[in-house]
Amino acid sequence: MESCDAIAGCGRPACKMLDGDVEFLSTASGTTEGCHPGGLQTKWVVKETRDRELLQAYLSICPEVQTYALGDLAPPHWDHCRWHVLCDLLGCVHAVALTYTGLTTPVLQVLADPREDHCLAAAASLLRSLAVHHLPGLGAFECHVNAGLQDLLLEAGFSLAVRPHQRLALPRDCLRRLCPVDDANQTETEAGKQDMRPVGHTAPPTDLATRLGPADAEAAAALCATMPRSWFEPKVLQEGRYLGIWQEGRLASMGGTHVFAPEYGVAALGNVGTDTDFRGRGLGKALVHQLCCHLCQEGIQVVSLNVESDNEPALRLYKSLGFSTVMDFVECDVIRT
């Protein structure tokens, strides 16, 4: 993936299919080997797999797009995942679908690099196959797909409530620009060379926030309840990385991670918000900045998050810190009509 550059907005039809037939295999398969032989494929295979190495190899090609799927390779999420892949005849993966069943409502994710026509076509072919052979058994579910792919679900007889989103990401080189140099042995000249922030950019303070723990669960839940479509359970304060800013004896601002997978170098931010009584003071920006610096120090190389496309204040905040738009996608509530 290109670091820090906007790579979204393909502007091309997202529902073009791959040439050739697609066969759905109903039984799970093991390891596949081989690579794309080149030339026109006349047959594609969709199958379920539990091959973690195979999935990681594909998902790691584009970690900004696949952040959430990479995080679900790790426990405890792995046990709640079903994975389908679209392969060529030699077993090379061209698209991945994740069905996460660890929540009350299952979540389907089929996302592809929006810059690559072939990746979008492979994702479309995979989703169309799943719409026939897999999705009817889910009942009501939520799906996250590249903008345009939701039309395939409509064509298959599903009813959708669509919410346009943007995926934002902050790759590692941008993390280094954002976060202060903490090497005590580094000279001022060396530090200056690494400080590549634009002229006039002033980093927010990085010591306002403190780590949230189980004792802060009640205050965190109350603040999350004021955020539209937020999801919070007390256990996330232990499983993820959460920071909060306290002012006047209240939790004024907070944010954490929906995904924290240092073994795969990725994290996704979530539950970021500021109490209405404390907005306009720069607390949200300071908190996100400090959180990203903590994640960088723990080995995270890519930080991403999802923002509703019409949430202009949030988009401005994240882009002021160096985040860029990776792709347009939609979250949909789906039922079979």
Side-chain angles (χ1 to χ4, degrees):
M1 294 291 291
E2 299 171 7
S3 299
C4 300
D5 296 329
I7 59 174
C10 58
R12 60 177 76 94
C15 292
K16 181 180 178 180
M17 304 294 173
L18 293 172
D19 293 323
D21 298 326
V22 177
E23 178 184 1
F24 185 90
L25 301 182
S26 59
T27 57
S29 64
T31 302
T32 56
E33 298 179 351
C35 59
H36 196 289
L40 179 65
Q41 289 288 307
T42 59
K43 187 174 182 180
W44 305 86
V45 174
V46 173
K47 56 187 176 182
E48 191 167 353
T49 183
R50 296 292 291 174
D51 188 335
R52 201 187 315 239
E53 291 185 2
L54 177 76
L55 293 166
Q56 181 185 354
Y58 174 82
L59 298 173
S60 297
I61 294 172
C62 200
E64 288 89 344
V65 170
Q66 305 293 353
T67 305
Y68 290 78
L70 281 166
D72 285 337
L73 293 176
H77 308 295
W78 173 258
D79 292 337
H80 301 290
C81 294
R82 293 184 65 183
W83 303 88
H84 289 86
V85 294
L86 182 140
C87 301
D88 59 35
L89 294 182
L90 291 185
C92 186
V93 175
H94 294 256
V96 169
L98 162 63
T99 306
Y100 186 78
T101 60
L103 302 173
T104 303
T105 301
V107 180
L108 171 74
Q109 175 182 294
V110 183
L111 297 173
D113 185 343
R115 302 168 299 175
E116 301 291 340
D117 289 328
H118 174 81
C119 292
L120 287 170
S125 295
L126 174 56
L127 182 60
R128 183 173 64 174
S129 178
L130 294 178
V132 174
H133 300 285
H134 171 58
L135 300 183
L138 293 182
F141 63 95
E142 182 177 319
C143 78
H144 301 174
V145 297
N146 290 79
L149 291 187
Q150 73 272 17
D151 293 343
L152 296 172
L153 297 177
L154 291 171
E155 294 170 6
F158 292 91
S159 177
L160 312 180
V162 179
R163 300 179 298 279
H165 280 69
Q166 292 184 27
R167 167 69 54 80
L168 304 182
L170 188 70
R172 184 164 180 80
D173 59 342
C174 292
L175 277 173
R176 288 173 173 168
R177 297 183 197 182
L178 179 66
C179 298
V181 176
D182 58 3
D183 187 347
N185 297 320
Q186 199 170 39
T187 67
E188 291 185 7
T189 301
E190 291 171 334
K193 290 180 180 179
Q194 287 201 11
D195 187 356
M196 301 171 64
R197 291 189 294 268
V199 175
H201 173 90
T202 302
T206 58
D207 58 355
L208 288 177
T210 57
R211 181 75 178 268
L212 296 180
D216 305 309
E218 184 176 352
L223 183 52
C224 281
T226 68
M227 305 177 196
R229 297 189 61 82
S230 66
W231 173 85
F232 177 83
E233 291 184 357
K235 65 180 181 180
V236 302
L237 297 179
Q238 293 178 302
E239 295 175 353
R241 296 294 185 270
Y242 272 77
L243 300 180
I245 297 176
W246 299 83
Q247 293 199 347
E248 301 174 14
R250 297 163 56 188
L251 183 59
S253 186
M254 67 170 285
T257 54
H258 282 331
V259 173
F260 178 69
E263 59 268 59
Y264 301 112
V266 297
L269 304 187
N271 291 334
V272 177
T274 300
D275 188 296
T276 54
D277 292 340
F278 297 95
R279 291 179 183 171
R281 306 182 187 183
L283 300 184
K285 184 173 183 178
L287 185 141
V288 172
H289 180 211
Q290 188 171 342
L291 179 58
C292 288
C293 290
H294 277 285
L295 295 173
C296 183
Q297 292 166 5
E298 293 195 68
I300 297 300
Q301 299 181 30
V302 173
V303 178
S304 71
L305 76 156
N306 299 331
V307 179
E308 293 196 31
S309 298
D310 61 357
N311 191 344
E312 290 295 335
L315 291 171
R316 285 196 300 270
L317 183 153
Y318 292 114
K319 290 183 178 182
S320 73
L321 289 169
F323 284 81
S324 59
T325 300
V326 173
M327 64 178 176
D328 297 313
F329 75 102
V330 295
E331 292 185 0
C332 306
D333 296 322
V334 186
I335 59 172
R336 188 65 180 256
T337 55

